[in-house]
Each structure stands twice: as C-alpha cells, then as structure tokens.
C-alpha cells in the first residue's frame, strides 16, 4: 500500500489527577460554570423555539456570556477560563445543529446538564497546555501531577478534564501522521456473541462472560437500600451516593477491561473479523407492553435484557472497529438471520436442528457441534460470500425432510 499522511486523534484516558483540596474545588467550580452557561442558553433557546423564534447561536451566546460576566448577579463566571466557557457554547451550538440535521434522524434536542453527571470542561487552545513528564499545566490551575496510562505522542490539540465517580481525569487529544498499516496476520474468523458464551469463534475458541454487574448486584442493592433510608441531600445521603457511584464505576471498569483484553487478542491474531449486525437496542427492549396489550414472559425477558446489557456487546463491536483500523485489518458485519439455524456442514436451515442453547445437530446430515461455534462458522461463511460479491440471504427456515427408513 502507498503510504500517506492522515490524522490520528489519540485519547489518553485514565489519567488520575492526584491533587485535591483547593485544586478539586477549583475544577468543580469550572465545571459548574460551564454547566451553568449551557443550561442558561439552552433554556433561552427552548423558550424561543416555543415562541417559534430563531435560536441563539454561538456568536450571540458568546456576546451574552460576556455581558453576564460584567453583571453583579453572574460575576462568578469570571473565575472560569474564558475559552472553556466558549468551548461549551460551541458544543451547545453543534448539538442544536445536529438536532436540526435531516440527515441524522436519531439526533434529539439537547438536554440540561446535571451536577454530578456532567462535570467536565475543555481547554481548546494547545498554547495554554504544557506537558512535562508526569505533570500538566492548565490555565488558572497551574501544574498538576498525574498518572499517565501511556505516553503522549504527537502534537497536542486540546485537553478535557472530567470528574467521574469522585475521581478527576484528563484526556489529551493529539495529532500525528501515520502510514497505512498492514496487518501482520492473514487469517479470518467469525465471532458469535451470546449470553452463555460471550464470544464463540469459528476456530473453536470460546470465552466465558465476566458478568461484572451480576457479581456486584447484591452489594449494589444493599447500598441502594441504605440510600433510600437517608434524608435526601443530607451529608450522609451524599456520602452514600458516592459509594454507589464508585461501585457503578468499578462494574463498568471491570467490563471494559475484560472486553479490551479479549478484543485486542482477536484483533492481533486475525486480519479479518466477521460479526453479526445485531440491533442491541431492539433486542434489549422491555416486554411489559401497556394496559391494552400487556406483555408476556416479562420477568424472563427482563433477565435476558439484563444479561445482554451486562455483556457489553455493542462496546465489543466498537472496540473491534477501531482496533482493526489501527492494525490495517477489516471488520465486517453480516445479517444475523438464520445463523443459529443453519448447518455449517451441509447448509441445511431448520430451527429444529438447535435442540438446546448449547447443542446443534443437523436434522438432515446429522452434523453435531456446539451451537455457538456452528453459528460463528456460518457468520464467517457469510462474510466470505460478501467479499466474493455473491452474497445471498442465508435462506428461509424449512421443514426437515423425512429420513429414509
């Protein structure tokens, strides 16, 4: 491949800021000021939309933010760096622009930011950011010690400071020139995701699910019961809420760590990975129904939904997408229809072939294999068909033919 320069935006995550006290108070104030201007301009825009008037875009919003700084009521906005507030207003303008974009029907009107949920601010100017080993200098914060998850390579573009579960993190975005990578491996694999087996590969490899939420479910329920007995917004209630936030963060970190290790292994060993094009949001919808048409098997479906969301199927797909791009590999998503009902040996499709969750025995040729591995082989075959340019639907379910006497 011909080498060429392209932009790579590298996010350095998990950089825990060590200093607390006054520094943490300052960062909380900066996040609060940015959240304030977002909510204030948002409320003005929502009122204008209700009156069928034009909304406030960035230029006008920036003008009003400067007016608010000179007023007595909102003079506290002077404490925050001006470019952080301006960046927050740019983000709000972009959110409204996306909401009105007809080519993006999934976009929605921006919502108000909440304290404890949206605590972040960004320094958009690289000239205001200085790095020196394990220290970073930010405007109005000074030099801050941090733990780096990896070396910061390239030209610094911006820095985002975020509070999550009581800890402060900084993400450094950089720009570097890279060549088109060439994947070191030359193999292809199909991957089937499931509840009993998180990953089943067409080469026969399987990985068990971590079930991080299930392991901490009882502890989380106990902490939530204690929270419900405390007076809302009291000091005890605040402390208990922080404990719950930290447990949620631990559950999410365990899940992401397991998925990162698994997807990195798959990406390193295979140049092409074929997965099912699953609609996770539709698969995990509630089965409650309504008063006129109540749902059936609601409890069982609720347990299945919880298991699906606990595995992180979409997160696994997202990680495979960018890791394959980094290494020069390919990720291909194929329709999931009939992959679990088709025999990977003879191609016969019959739902009766899958007798249980883990067993597959073809009703035509008698081929027997683990059901998840059989599905992974079908997924890989569908990927090869797409690459060959002759892809066809996997077929419709048919009744098994009578066996000869």
């Amino acid at each position: 491949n011909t080498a060429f320069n392209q932009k790579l935006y590298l996010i350095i995550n998990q950089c825990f800021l060590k200093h607390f006290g006054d520094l943490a108070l300052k960062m909380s104030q900066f996040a609060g000021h940015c959240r304030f201007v977002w909510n204030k301009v948002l409320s003005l825009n929502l009122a204008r939309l209700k009156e069928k008037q034009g909304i406030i875009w960035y230029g006008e919003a920036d003008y009003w933010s400067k007016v608010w700084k000179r007023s007595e009521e909102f003079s506290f906005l002077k404490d925050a760096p001006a470019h952080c507030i301006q960046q927050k207003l740019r983000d709000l303008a972009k959110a409204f622009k996306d909401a009105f974009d007809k080519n993006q029907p999934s976009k929605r009107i921006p919502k108000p930011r909440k304290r404890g949920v949206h605590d972040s601010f960004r320094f958009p100017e690289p000239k205001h950011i200085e790095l020196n080993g394990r220290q970073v200098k930010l405007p109005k914060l000074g030099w801050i010690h941090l733990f780096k998850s990896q070396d910061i390579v390239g030209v610094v573009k911006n820095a985002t400071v975020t509070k999550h579960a009581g800890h402060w993190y900084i993400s450094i975005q950089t720009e570097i020139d890279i060549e088109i990578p060439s994947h070191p491996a030359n193999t292809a694999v199909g991957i089937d995701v499931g509840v009993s087996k998180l990953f089943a590969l067409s080469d026969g490899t399987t990985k068990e699910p971590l079930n991080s939420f299930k392991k901490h479910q009882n502890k989380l329920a106990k902490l939530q019961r204690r929270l419900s007995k405390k007076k809302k917004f009291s000091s005890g209630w605040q402390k208990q809420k922080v404990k719950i936030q930290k447990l949620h963060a631990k559950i999410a970190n365990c899940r992401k760590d397991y998925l990162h290790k698994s997807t990195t292994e798959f990406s390193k060993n295979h140049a092409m990975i074929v997965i099912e094009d699953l609609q996770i949001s539709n698969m995990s919808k509630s089965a409650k129904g309504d008063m006129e048409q109540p749902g059936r098997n609601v409890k069982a479906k609720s347990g299945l939904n919880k298991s699906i969301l606990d595995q992180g199927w979409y997160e696994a797909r997202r990680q495979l997408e960018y890791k394959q791009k980094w290494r020069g590999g390919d990720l291909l998503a194929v329709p999931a229809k009939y992959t679990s009902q088709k025999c990977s040996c003879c191609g016969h499709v019959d739902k009766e072939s899958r007798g249980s969750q883990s067993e597959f025995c073809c009703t035509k040729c008698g081929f027997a294999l683990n059901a998840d591995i059989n599905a992974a082989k079908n997924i890989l075959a569908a990927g090869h068909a797409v690459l060959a340019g002759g892809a066809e639907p996997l077929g419709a379910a048919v009744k098994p033919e009578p066996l000869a006497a």
Side-chain angles (χ1 to χ4, degrees):
N1 295 332
T2 304
F4 72 103
N5 295 332
Q6 69 177 24
K7 294 180 180 179
L8 173 67
Y9 295 101
L10 181 64
I11 301 297
I12 311 299
N13 290 319
Q14 306 299 320
C15 299
F16 175 62
L17 303 180
K18 291 171 61 177
H19 295 295
F20 292 98
D22 295 340
L23 179 61
L25 180 60
K26 272 188 177 182
M27 293 188 294
S28 295
Q29 289 175 347
F30 293 173
H33 296 161
C34 293
R35 187 172 57 249
F36 171 81
V37 294
W38 172 289
N39 291 337
K40 188 165 183 62
V41 176
L42 175 63
S43 62
L44 294 174
N45 281 338
L46 294 179
R48 287 195 172 197
L49 288 175
K50 191 174 181 180
E51 299 294 332
K52 298 183 179 181
Q53 298 177 357
I55 66 172
I56 300 175
W57 294 104
Y58 167 72
E60 187 178 354
D62 182 45
Y63 167 78
W64 282 113
S65 67
K66 295 175 181 177
V67 173
W68 295 333
K69 287 180 182 180
R70 294 193 294 268
S71 66
E72 294 184 3
E73 185 178 3
F74 305 124
S75 59
F76 58 86
L77 292 176
K78 296 179 181 178
D79 299 335
H83 41 276
C84 291
I85 293 179
Q86 291 172 344
Q87 181 61 42
K88 187 62 66 174
L89 294 176
R90 288 191 186 98
D91 294 340
L92 179 60
K94 185 179 183 302
F96 270 109
K97 185 177 179 181
D98 292 340
F100 298 142
D101 190 353
K102 295 181 179 179
N103 296 326
Q104 301 183 22
S106 60
K107 295 292 184 179
R108 297 291 184 269
I109 296 294
K111 295 183 179 180
R113 300 298 188 186
K114 296 181 180 179
R115 181 182 180 183
V117 179
H118 305 96
D119 293 338
S120 66
F121 52 95
R122 179 180 299 167
F123 296 95
E125 295 294 336
K127 62 182 180 181
H128 297 146
I129 306 167
E130 296 183 36
L131 295 170
N132 182 16
R134 293 191 175 185
Q135 288 184 319
V136 59
K137 186 177 182 180
L138 300 174
K140 294 192 176 183
L141 292 175
W143 287 101
I144 305 172
H145 295 276
L146 54 84
F147 294 106
K148 291 195 298 185
S149 62
Q150 62 188 88
D151 292 333
I152 302 173
V153 182
V155 181
V156 175
K157 305 299 291 184
N158 59 62
T160 304
V161 181
T162 307
K163 185 179 182 181
H164 179 63
H167 300 305
W168 286 95
Y169 301 86
I170 181 170
S171 298
I172 308 294
Q173 190 178 72
T174 65
E175 179 183 340
I176 61 176
D177 295 329
I178 64 170
E179 297 180 351
I180 297 178
S182 178
H183 203 285
N186 57 4
T187 58
V189 69
I191 299 180
D192 177 68
V193 295
V195 175
S196 58
K197 301 286 185 184
L198 178 55
F199 298 113
L201 278 63
S202 56
D203 60 4
T205 306
T206 60
K207 282 191 175 293
E208 299 294 328
L210 182 63
N211 295 324
S212 59
F213 179 80
K214 188 176 181 180
K215 291 179 180 178
H216 299 89
Q217 188 174 4
N218 293 335
K219 184 177 180 180
L220 180 62
K222 185 183 296 185
L223 293 176
Q224 289 174 336
R225 283 196 297 269
R226 292 177 181 174
L227 179 68
S228 65
K229 296 178 182 178
K230 297 183 181 295
K231 185 178 179 181
K232 201 168 184 179
F233 303 116
S234 64
S235 59
W237 183 88
Q238 296 284 359
K239 293 178 182 178
Q240 190 67 20
K241 186 179 178 182
V242 171
K243 291 182 180 179
I244 295 174
Q245 290 175 341
K246 289 184 177 181
L247 183 57
H248 275 297
K250 181 179 180 180
I251 293 171
N253 290 337
C254 290
R255 182 187 299 115
K256 287 183 179 180
D257 178 71
Y258 187 73
L259 290 177
H260 272 297
K261 290 177 179 177
S262 300
T263 54
T264 299
E265 178 185 347
F266 302 153
S267 180
K268 284 183 176 180
N269 296 332
H270 303 286
M272 185 180 79
I273 298 176
V274 188
I275 60 174
E276 292 178 305
D277 188 15
L278 299 175
Q279 304 298 322
I280 310 298
S281 59
N282 295 337
M283 294 176 64
S284 57
K285 280 185 178 179
S286 175
K288 287 184 178 181
D290 50 28
M291 294 295 292
E292 297 179 357
Q293 295 181 348
R296 295 180 297 175
N297 299 326
V298 176
K299 189 175 182 180
K301 184 63 169 65
S302 175
L304 177 62
N305 294 347
K306 188 182 296 184
S307 298
I308 290 174
L309 297 175
D310 191 15
Q311 308 310 325
W313 291 355
Y314 185 83
E315 175 64 16
R317 174 174 177 171
R318 187 192 69 84
Q319 292 179 11
L320 285 173
E321 283 181 355
Y322 76 79
K323 289 179 182 180
Q324 284 295 88
K325 287 182 180 179
W326 280 358
R327 294 185 172 88
D330 295 316
L331 180 71
L332 186 62
V334 298
K337 201 172 184 181
Y338 304 120
T339 53
S340 62
Q341 301 176 9
K342 183 179 180 181
C343 176
S344 60
C345 182
C346 68
H348 181 67
V349 180
D350 182 13
K351 64 179 181 180
E352 299 296 332
S353 297
R354 187 160 185 174
S356 65
Q357 177 68 28
S358 60
E359 297 178 357
F360 181 90
C361 184
C362 182
T363 56
K364 184 176 182 180
C365 68
F367 176 75
L369 189 66
N370 179 275
D372 296 326
I373 297 177
N374 177 76
K377 289 181 177 292
N378 290 329
I379 293 169
L380 178 60
H384 283 305
V386 171
L387 292 178
E392 295 180 357
L394 293 173
V398 296
K399 294 182 180 180
E401 299 178 359
L403 299 176

